[in-house]
Amino acid sequence: MRFRRKVRSPAVLSHEFVIQNHADTAYSLVMSLLMGVVIKGPDKYAIMFVAVQYNVTYTTDDNSEQFHFYDYGPKDIATVVFYMLVAINLHAVIQEYILDKINRCLHLSKPKHSKFNESGQLVFFYLFSFVWGASILNTEEFMMIPTSLWRDYPHSRMLFQVKFFYVCQIAYWFHAVLELYFQKIQKEDIPRQLCYICLYIAHISGAYILNLHRLGLILMVPHYLVELIFHASRLVYLSDENNQKGFTIWALLFVMVRLLTLTLSVLTFGFGLARVENPEFSIADGNFNVLPVRIGCLGAVCLTQAWMMWKFIKFQLKKWREHVKNQIPRKKINNTKNKRTK
């Protein structure tokens, strides 16, 4: 009679313990903060994590109507931390109840398994962000009026849904950094993933801090649509390598969105903001419309778009070479079959 070996639980606070229990730990912290909101005493600290901060209310001259806007400040760090914990929980739920079950059915290899998990998580995020961002643009007027991107700058006041959108975006991408450790991402994949995660954090945080949230929102929505199509196509490709139609649609939209991003960026930084330039650089007023900041922002956008196009060209060349390699054996087989029939 064989006795089963007892599986030793990892030591408390060891790497394995943290990785295995990170979702439960994040869930406990989230529930503790939510409970703190309804308890007197801790509520004034817990509310800083849960609720969106820096509410600014304007009233009309006759006090008949109120308008609620939001600014940003250091307390937003606490809010980002809270929603980062929420993102960790959602990541674990999607992984366990959806992606892992699909992986068991597909029986993918380890490299494909890692790519499937990465694309699966990003498909959910990009879909949610695209729908949310598109709904905000649908209710805002600056979607149809390009001059509103720079008119009346600085745009230091945000509607609730705009600020909450940015807070959730920043929280998600910070959570993605932690997931590189929690999900035991392979060492060769870490530089690639860390690179695009850091680019997201830098660009979204920059648009948020520099009061360029209008431009950032307009550029994010089509970009997320393109990324959604790419990762959805990669999921289909990993399950059936003969199905590559989605990559063609992605390639066309990818180039169009890069051109749109460059056009709007040059129009905003090179022409729009330059004409309404206010030389008084003021952090307190949220005015960053000075030449060095504009050049830095435009340079960052152009360099990022150039890098993305370079990666895109390399990806297309790699696919073309693989296609040529696959066609050569097929031609040889067809030629031998034709000779035999003759």
Side-chain angles (χ1 to χ4, degrees):
M1 183 177 180
R2 294 181 180 179
F3 294 94
R4 293 182 180 177
R5 292 182 180 179
K6 293 183 179 180
V7 180
R8 292 183 179 179
S9 58
V12 178
L13 298 182
S14 64
H15 290 292
E16 287 297 325
F17 180 85
V18 172
I19 291 171
Q20 289 181 13
N21 300 280
H22 74 275
D24 295 331
T25 304
Y27 178 76
S28 300
L29 291 172
V30 169
M31 294 307 297
S32 300
L33 290 170
L34 290 175
M35 290 297 294
V37 173
V38 297
I39 299 174
K40 279 191 175 183
D43 59 340
K44 59 183 179 181
Y45 300 105
I47 198 69
M48 185 172 61
F49 288 86
V50 178
V52 177
Q53 302 296 306
Y54 300 104
N55 182 18
V56 180
T57 303
Y58 294 96
T59 57
T60 55
D61 295 334
D62 56 356
N63 295 326
S64 61
E65 193 173 1
Q66 291 184 342
F67 299 93
H68 299 280
F69 295 94
Y70 289 84
D71 204 343
Y72 68 83
K75 292 181 181 179
D76 289 340
I77 297 173
T79 312
V80 168
V81 169
F82 175 78
Y83 287 99
M84 183 175 66
L85 296 173
V86 174
I88 290 173
N89 279 281
L90 293 175
H91 187 111
V93 170
I94 293 171
Q95 186 66 46
E96 183 177 354
Y97 293 100
I98 300 176
L99 298 179
D100 285 347
K101 291 183 178 180
I102 297 174
N103 274 318
R104 292 191 196 102
C105 298
L106 295 177
H107 303 289
L108 299 174
S109 61
K110 283 187 177 180
K112 288 185 176 182
H113 180 85
S114 178
K115 290 179 180 179
F116 188 89
N117 288 336
E118 178 191 0
S119 292
Q121 293 286 348
L122 290 174
V123 161
F124 281 99
F125 170 72
Y126 286 135
L127 178 61
F128 176 75
S129 298
F130 170 72
V131 173
W132 189 6
S135 67
I136 294 174
L137 291 179
N138 187 43
T139 58
E140 295 293 332
E141 62 176 8
F142 56 81
M143 179 64 181
M144 303 303 297
I145 308 174
T147 56
S148 62
L149 294 176
W150 56 82
R151 190 177 58 200
D152 300 328
Y153 183 86
H155 307 132
S156 56
R157 300 291 181 260
M158 294 174 280
L159 294 174
F160 170 80
Q161 58 181 350
V162 176
K163 173 161 184 174
F164 191 44
F165 178 82
Y166 271 92
V167 167
C168 291
Q169 293 295 312
I170 297 170
Y172 179 86
W173 290 114
F174 271 112
H175 126 274
V177 177
L178 297 178
E179 290 295 344
L180 296 177
Y181 170 70
F182 293 147
Q183 298 297 324
K184 295 182 178 180
I185 302 299
Q186 297 177 359
K187 290 183 179 180
E188 57 270 18
D189 289 338
I190 289 178
R192 176 183 60 82
Q193 294 190 32
L194 189 61
C195 181
Y196 74 73
I197 291 171
C198 290
L199 284 174
Y200 274 117
I201 292 173
H203 284 74
I204 296 173
S205 301
Y208 182 69
I209 294 171
L210 298 177
N211 290 318
L212 297 168
H213 52 84
R214 294 183 180 181
L215 177 64
L217 192 60
I218 287 180
L219 296 182
M220 260 192 286
V221 170
H223 174 76
Y224 280 168
L225 174 62
V226 172
E227 292 300 302
L228 170 63
I229 294 172
F230 172 77
H231 286 283
S233 301
R234 189 160 79 159
L235 289 177
V236 175
Y237 173 75
L238 291 172
S239 58
D240 181 12
E241 293 187 355
N242 295 321
N243 195 336
Q244 302 184 26
K245 295 179 181 179
F247 290 115
T248 305
I249 301 172
W250 164 75
L252 293 172
L253 291 177
F254 183 90
V255 177
M256 292 173 62
V257 171
R258 300 287 73 78
L259 292 173
L260 174 66
T261 301
L262 288 173
T263 302
L264 288 178
S265 299
V266 171
L267 188 65
T268 302
F269 295 114
F271 298 96
L273 290 176
R275 292 182 179 179
V276 297
E277 180 177 3
N278 185 351
E280 296 181 1
F281 178 85
S282 176
I283 297 177
D285 296 333
N287 184 14
F288 301 95
N289 187 19
V290 291
L291 183 60
V293 174
R294 292 202 308 271
I295 292 175
C297 292
L298 184 58
V301 172
C302 291
L303 287 174
T304 303
Q305 300 308 306
W307 176 77
M308 292 177 70
M309 280 301 300
W310 171 245
K311 299 285 286 185
F312 172 78
I313 293 169
K314 286 178 65 178
F315 176 79
Q316 294 298 328
L317 288 174
K318 182 181 177 182
K319 279 189 63 181
W320 178 74
R321 287 169 185 167
E322 290 177 354
H323 177 72
V324 171
K325 286 182 180 180
N326 293 331
Q327 289 296 323
I328 293 172
R330 290 179 182 177
K331 288 181 179 179
K332 289 181 179 179
I333 293 170
N334 292 331
N335 290 333
T336 54
K337 285 182 178 179
N338 292 331
K339 289 179 181 178
R340 287 177 183 178
T341 54
K342 290 179 180 178

